[in-house]
Amino acid sequence: MEPAQPADRVPADRTPPDGQPPAAAGGEPAVTGPTSPPDGEPALVEPGPDGEAALVEPGPAAEPGRGDAATGTGERPVPPPRAQAARSERSPKDMAISLLVLLVPIALLLAFYRGFLGGDQATTVDPAPAIEQARSANVFPVSQPQGLGSDWRTVSARYQTVDGGANLRIGYLTPEGRGVQLVQSSVPAERLLPAELTDQGQPQGPTELAGRTWQRYTARGNQQALVLLEPTRTVLVIGDARDNELRELAGALR
C-alpha cells in the first residue's frame, strides 16, 4: 500500500486535455510558437498598458498575380507596348524641294568660280625664257610663231637636254580649245619620231607651208602631226586640233 500524499501536491506528469498544449514545469503552459488566427478573427498580440490583450485586425491577404512582379520574381514588369509611330512618307514634292536646296549653293559656287576666278580658263605662261635658253645653248636654230591671234594661248614652255640632243617644247591652246605642241629638237629624226608619234605614226604625204615642205603624219589616238625635216633639227606640230589650226601654227614659224 502506497503512503498517502498531501492534498496540495500537484502530480509531476499532467496530461493536458485534448487540444491544449502541455503545461511546463511550474504550472505555466508551454510556448509552442506563434499561431496564425483563423480567417476573419483578430490576432492576439502583447498585453496593453491596462493589462488587457490588444487585438490587431489581420491585413488583407495579397491576391496572387497582383502587385509588383519584382517581389516574387526579382524582375521588373514588362511595360505595355507603345503605340506604333505613324509612318511618315516623303512626297515627291518634298524630295524635289530638298534637292533644290542642295543644288542652289553648288550652282552659285560654280558661277563664282567661272565668272570671278576664271575656272574655265587655262593658265598661260610666257614662253620667252625657254626660247631664250634654247637660243643661248645654240644647239639648233630656234623658230618662234609670228602673227598668231590673241586667242592662241601659250600654256607651257620648256627647254631641256635629253639623250642624243636637246628639245624645246611649247604647248598651245588653240582658238577652238584644242591642244597643240610645237617641238623643236636636235635629236635624230629616226629616234625622235617614234618617241613622239609612237608606233601609230604613219606618213600621209607632203604639204607646202610658207615655202617649206612639211610631212603629214598620223599620231597616237586622234592626233595629227606636221613634221619638218632639216639637217640640224626636226620640227613637229602635233595635237588633236583640226588640220587648219595645225597648218596655221606651222606656217607662222619664223
Side-chain angles (χ1 to χ4, degrees):
M1 179 179 294
E2 295 181 0
Q5 297 183 7
D8 56 352
R9 182 178 177 182
V10 180
D13 185 11
R14 293 189 304 171
T15 301
D18 294 339
Q20 298 294 330
E28 297 292 335
V31 180
T32 59
T35 58
S36 300
D39 293 340
E41 295 185 4
L44 180 63
V45 295
E46 296 181 358
D50 53 356
E52 297 182 359
L55 300 179
V56 177
E57 293 290 338
E63 297 181 10
R66 299 187 62 180
D68 191 357
T71 304
T73 62
E75 299 180 356
R76 294 185 178 181
V78 179
R82 298 181 179 178
Q84 185 178 4
R87 183 181 178 184
S88 61
E89 296 182 356
R90 301 183 63 183
S91 65
K93 179 180 179 181
D94 294 336
M95 297 177 65
I97 294 176
S98 300
L99 184 61
L100 183 62
V101 170
L102 293 176
L103 291 179
V104 168
I106 296 176
L108 292 177
L109 289 175
L110 185 60
F112 177 78
Y113 175 73
R114 289 182 174 179
F116 294 92
L117 301 181
D120 290 342
Q121 298 179 3
T123 302
T124 59
V125 300
D126 183 8
I131 294 174
E132 184 61 30
Q133 186 179 2
R135 285 174 175 168
S136 299
N138 199 23
V139 177
F140 54 82
V142 177
S143 299
Q144 185 175 358
Q146 301 290 332
L148 290 177
S150 59
D151 47 0
W152 283 80
R153 288 170 288 177
T154 306
V155 294
S156 64
R158 183 180 183 186
Y159 173 79
Q160 63 180 151
T161 57
V162 295
D163 186 18
N167 293 335
L168 173 62
R169 193 181 302 270
I170 304 176
Y172 294 93
L173 196 64
T174 72
E176 294 184 1
R178 306 289 183 130
V180 177
Q181 283 195 20
L182 170 62
V183 181
Q184 302 177 67
S185 176
S186 62
V187 178
E190 59 271 16
R191 293 178 54 187
L192 179 67
L193 295 183
E196 296 293 333
L197 305 179
T198 71
D199 56 355
Q200 300 178 17
Q202 300 294 328
Q204 301 296 311
T207 183
E208 294 292 326
L209 294 171
R212 297 173 179 175
T213 302
W214 294 72
Q215 299 294 327
R216 296 183 294 110
Y217 276 81
T218 59
R220 64 174 66 88
N222 61 343
Q223 294 184 352
Q224 303 178 75
L226 294 174
V227 179
L228 178 64
L229 300 174
E230 294 183 340
T232 57
R233 70 170 181 173
T234 301
V235 182
L236 292 88
V237 177
I238 180 173
D240 61 353
R242 292 194 299 178
D243 182 70
N244 63 320
E245 291 183 322
L246 294 178
R247 293 172 64 88
E248 181 181 357
L249 178 58
L253 291 176
R254 300 290 186 270

